[in-house]
Amino acid sequence: YFCWDSMGKKSRINKYLSEVGFCSRREADKLISSGKVYLNGKKAILGDKVSMYDEVLVDNKKITPLIKYKIYIAFNKPLGIVCTTDKKREKNNIIDYINFPHRIFPVGRLDKNSEGLIFLTNDGDIVNKILRSKNNHQKEYDVTVDKPITKRFIHEMQNGVPILDTVTKKCVLKQTGKKTFNIVLTQGLNRQIRRMCEYFGYSVKHLKRVRIMNIKLDVSRGKYRHITKSELKEMKIMLSSSTKTHSEEK
């Protein structure tokens, strides 16, 4: 449950938007910076604090703490569905596709041309803990490329690839067929696997995420299930030493 402190203690506005299930703290900061959030009739700024007596609007819609419980969903995203909550700009958005009765948002992204496991939740505090590469949480993928895989490709993919002005972390890669492999990453760079393959002259033909941390993909394409209590307990143990922000790392 979301509840206010009995003495009227204020909460940071990004934390408030996260805890009521509107979005993650990072997304809240973006909304505030873009001038879409109003606090008591004035544009909110980063660092503003909210009490139970304040009015918060996002895109002229009043935000109220209606959340009653935390939701954690494992969804098998089909090809063509976009991991965004922006229903106005993207008709093939993940939110309309699932049509869940409560407000939820995706944890991270899985690009439009990829399929497989993605989490959705209304728990904004868990998002960055899962996503931050410093926390080294595993994500596993099955990949098909356009030509036969070589030993050099496997070796060099595992030991770091220069993309996006950095070098990828070492990863675990196992060949599963002439043109297929399984890869386990602890990073989430933009289109990382596709860019890594392109560096060696390969093109990804099919990419499917089959695991995030301790949760394996076990539902059919386009379907979702609730993460079980035992799975969530195990996940929270794995997340217990994780940081959410740069300041926490420091």
Side-chain angles (χ1 to χ4, degrees):
Y1 288 83
F2 179 89
C3 60
W4 293 106
D5 182 275
S6 59
M7 298 300 291
K9 183 178 178 180
K10 293 192 173 187
S11 176
R12 285 185 178 273
I13 193 166
N14 61 350
K15 181 181 179 183
Y16 170 74
L17 290 172
S18 166
E19 290 187 346
V20 300
F22 185 80
C23 61
S24 69
R25 291 194 194 189
R26 183 182 295 178
E27 287 298 319
D29 287 341
K30 289 180 181 178
L31 290 169
I32 294 165
S33 297
S34 63
K36 295 182 178 180
V37 182
Y38 280 75
L39 176 60
N40 298 326
K42 297 181 179 180
K43 280 188 180 181
I45 60 173
L46 296 173
D48 273 348
K49 292 187 176 182
V50 183
S51 76
M52 62 186 298
Y53 306 107
D54 294 317
E55 180 185 69
V56 178
L57 301 178
V58 179
D59 284 333
N60 295 318
K61 293 182 180 179
K62 187 174 181 179
I63 306 301
T64 53
L66 297 176
I67 189 170
K68 294 184 178 180
Y69 55 90
K70 299 296 185 184
I71 300 163
Y72 306 93
I73 285 174
F75 173 56
N76 187 348
K77 186 191 86 69
L79 295 172
I81 299 302
V82 181
C83 295
T84 180
T85 57
D86 191 343
K87 299 194 286 186
K88 292 181 180 179
R89 296 185 181 180
E90 180 53 65
K91 65 177 182 179
N92 294 320
N93 67 84
I94 194 170
I95 302 303
D96 280 343
Y97 185 92
I98 294 179
N99 195 29
F100 196 76
H102 301 287
R103 184 190 295 275
I104 54 175
F105 49 87
V107 180
R109 298 180 62 85
L110 195 56
D111 70 59
K112 186 175 182 178
N113 296 320
S114 301
E115 63 177 310
L117 181 62
I118 187 165
F119 295 159
L120 292 102
T121 184
N122 57 2
D123 182 359
D125 281 343
I126 204 171
V127 176
N128 285 345
K129 283 190 173 185
I130 293 175
L131 295 182
R132 285 188 63 74
S133 64
K134 294 279 187 183
N135 296 331
N136 294 313
H137 298 308
Q138 294 185 346
K139 300 180 185 69
E140 182 178 350
Y141 303 80
D142 287 336
V143 186
T144 302
V145 290
D146 63 333
K147 57 186 178 182
I149 295 167
T150 65
K151 289 183 179 180
R152 175 179 172 270
F153 173 82
I154 295 171
H155 175 74
E156 296 195 11
M157 282 278 286
Q158 289 185 114
N159 284 284
V161 181
I163 60 170
L164 298 173
D165 299 321
T166 187
V167 177
T168 60
K169 288 184 176 182
K170 289 187 177 182
C171 62
V172 178
L173 189 148
K174 179 182 178 182
Q175 185 170 358
T176 55
K178 188 177 181 180
K179 299 180 181 180
T180 59
F181 64 90
N182 175 275
I183 186 169
V184 179
L185 301 179
T186 56
Q187 274 178 301
L189 300 177
N190 180 254
R191 300 178 73 250
Q192 180 172 344
I193 296 173
R194 296 180 188 274
R195 292 179 190 273
M196 291 170 73
C197 290
E198 287 167 4
Y199 181 82
F200 297 107
Y202 287 78
S203 176
V204 171
K205 295 300 181 184
H206 181 250
L207 191 153
K208 184 177 185 179
R209 185 154 62 197
V210 296
R211 178 173 65 88
I212 301 174
M213 297 173 65
N214 61 312
I215 310 297
K216 294 182 179 179
L217 181 64
D218 57 3
V219 292
S220 58
R221 185 183 291 114
K223 303 296 183 182
Y224 68 82
R225 69 170 175 86
H226 290 272
I227 294 173
T228 67
K229 288 183 179 179
S230 60
E231 288 173 330
L232 188 59
K233 182 178 180 180
E234 183 179 354
M235 185 191 298
K236 288 189 174 181
I237 290 172
M238 297 170 76
L239 293 171
S240 61
S241 61
S242 299
T243 60
K244 293 178 288 187
T245 65
H246 285 292
S247 60
E248 284 184 334
E249 287 172 13
K250 292 176 184 178

